[in-house]
Structures are given as C-alpha cells and as structure tokens.
Amino acid sequence: EVQLQQSGAELGKPGTSVKLSCKVSGYNIRSTYMHWVNQRPGKGLEWIGRIDPANGNTIYAEKFKSKATLTADTSSNTAYMQLSQLKSDDTAIYFCAIQGYYGFWGQGTLVTVSS
Amino acid sequence: DVLMTQTPVSLPVSLGGQVSISCRSSQSLVHSDGNTYLHWYLQKPGQSPQLLIYRVSNRFSGVPDRFSGSGSGTDFTLKISRVEPEDLGVYYCLQSTHFPNTFGAGTKLELK
C-alpha cells in the first residue's frame, strides 16, 4: 500500500523558515516525481513545484521560486520542502503528491505564520 | 500560465441524480507526446484530494464507473451518475501538460 506521511503542523514567525517532510512507503520515490501543492484557508489548490528525486531536478511555479526549496533523500525515501521568509499569506496546508497524475497524496501539513 | 475555468462553482444535486462539471483551458492541453494531461480530483471536507480520472477519461484504481471523463483540446467534462453521499465535496480539474501545472478553482457538489 502506498502511503505518504507528512510532518506535523508548524507555527512559524514572520521572516523565519520551516522545513516540511513527506516520507513515502510502498513506492520508490526514484521512480516518480514529487509534487507540492498548497491550499490557503477556504481556497483552492495551487501548484508550488515538483522534484525528480532520481536526479534532484526541480521546476517551480514563478511565484514560489524564491519561497520554496525542494529536496529529496532517496536513501530514506523522503522529500522535503523548505519555505523561507515566511509571511502571513504563507499560512496554508501544504500537500505532497507523487506520480505524474498526482495519484497519491499526503495528509497535508498546516503551516501557520504568526508573530 | 494556463488558466483553467471550471463551471459551475456550486452544483446542487439530489442523491441518485446525474451531474456534469465543465473545465476549459486557455490553451490546448495536447502535449507534444500526443497525450492530454487533464485530470480530475475530489476533495472531501478535511481530506486530501483524491484522483478520480487521469488523462481525460481513465478511471483511477478503485474509482466507480459512475464517474466518467471526456473532452479534448481545451474543453473537458466530468460526469457523475447515480450520485451517492460519498460523492459530495469539491471537484478540481488539473492540467499537467504545461508548466506551471494549474488547477481549476473547484466545483462544490452539495445536496439540494
């Protein structure tokens, strides 16, 4: 069974960074892309970017190029997303998803930015 | 960026009824490899999105045949027949032909 287990909720102060994790079981992340998507409170889904864990290649949506950094550790089958220079409008649930069609999703990590 | 226009925003339905959701893209979703990367998801309250249909018309594993997808180019439709209570939630289309990948704004399926 494929499972994506995301790290717990984060409370970050403005101007700081947080690093989220997404650990995959039942699927080798070398064989897939890892996508990251966010959802602001009461809003729709927004694509942040994707990483190819096999070679570390990344593609980002323009608005997240200086906000998000995607990495992956194939030895632990885990992907990471660091969010930097946090602002209040970074408050959202962040999801990871694998496969070209986003076939499997993590449960989401709530990031709250507040002083 | 490719704009995905989903309609309607809200869709009241009676259990057992049939509904259609439209998703239109601002440019063709036909990839240079010949495939069309348009997918449909359902997000139930408090849950992650779940894949229903991939590449226009292919049902994902375990998805009942009450769900069907169709369309081509820039115009796509998700049909749900014999609506059941577990079908309620917000439906999203996603295009992954172009970067950045983009989602529709969502259609909320709710009981009349």
Side-chain angles (χ1 to χ4, degrees):
Chain A
E1 181 190 5
V2 179
Q3 290 189 327
L4 282 68
Q5 183 65 40
Q6 295 189 238
S7 48
E10 298 270 5
L11 174 60
K13 295 188 187 306
T16 64
S17 299
V18 294
K19 190 170 185 177
L20 314 183
S21 66
C22 176
K23 183 171 179 58
V24 181
S25 57
Y27 203 100
N28 188 337
I29 64 171
R30 282 182 171 273
S31 306
T32 185
Y33 296 116
M34 175 71 75
H35 306 272
W36 291 85
V37 172
N38 78 358
Q39 187 168 40
R40 292 187 170 85
K43 302 298 184 185
L45 303 168
E46 183 177 30
W47 187 76
I48 296 170
R50 79 165 195 205
I51 183 169
D52 182 346
N55 55 28
N57 287 347
T58 53
I59 302 176
Y60 297 92
E62 188 66 33
K63 68 178 288 187
F64 290 101
K65 280 184 177 176
S66 47
K67 170 64 62 180
T69 302
L70 305 183
T71 57
D73 177 1
T74 55
S75 67
S76 63
N77 226 36
T78 303
Y80 300 90
M81 178 173 67
Q82 179 162 316
L83 299 171
S84 61
Q85 290 297 312
L86 291 174
K87 301 184 293 186
S88 58
D89 72 348
D90 294 322
T91 293
I93 298 173
Y94 292 83
F95 296 101
C96 56
I98 60 169
Q99 294 187 329
Y101 312 138
Y102 301 60
F104 299 95
W105 294 65
Q107 82 278 20
T109 296
L110 174 63
V111 174
T112 304
V113 182
S114 174
S115 54
Chain B
D1 298 0
V2 177
L3 178 64
M4 304 297 289
T5 302
Q6 226 180 296
T7 55
V9 172
S10 175
L11 189 49
V13 65
S14 299
L15 296 179
Q18 177 174 299
V19 295
S20 292
I21 299 170
S22 170
C23 185
R24 289 186 170 150
S25 57
S26 59
Q27 57 185 274
S28 174
L29 299 185
V30 180
H31 194 275
S32 56
D33 66 8
N35 291 311
T36 299
Y37 294 97
L38 183 284
H39 324 296
W40 291 95
Y41 303 82
L42 165 61
Q43 186 176 31
K44 299 179 184 180
Q47 295 187 18
S48 309
Q50 56 189 85
L51 176 63
L52 299 172
I53 302 286
Y54 64 95
R55 278 198 286 119
V56 181
S57 60
N58 298 277
R59 276 187 300 276
F60 191 54
S61 175
V63 175
D65 61 6
R66 301 182 290 100
F67 293 87
S68 63
S70 63
S72 63
T74 62
D75 200 350
F76 304 92
T77 302
L78 175 71
K79 288 186 181 174
I80 313 167
S81 58
R82 306 183 303 280
V83 170
E84 298 188 5
E86 58 265 31
D87 300 338
L88 303 179
V90 181
Y91 288 80
Y92 294 95
C93 58
L94 164 69
Q95 69 80 20
S96 60
T97 296
H98 305 284
F99 288 109
N101 293 176
T102 44
F103 290 89
T107 295
K108 187 173 185 178
L109 187 66
E110 52 195 358
L111 285 179
K112 274 184 184 172

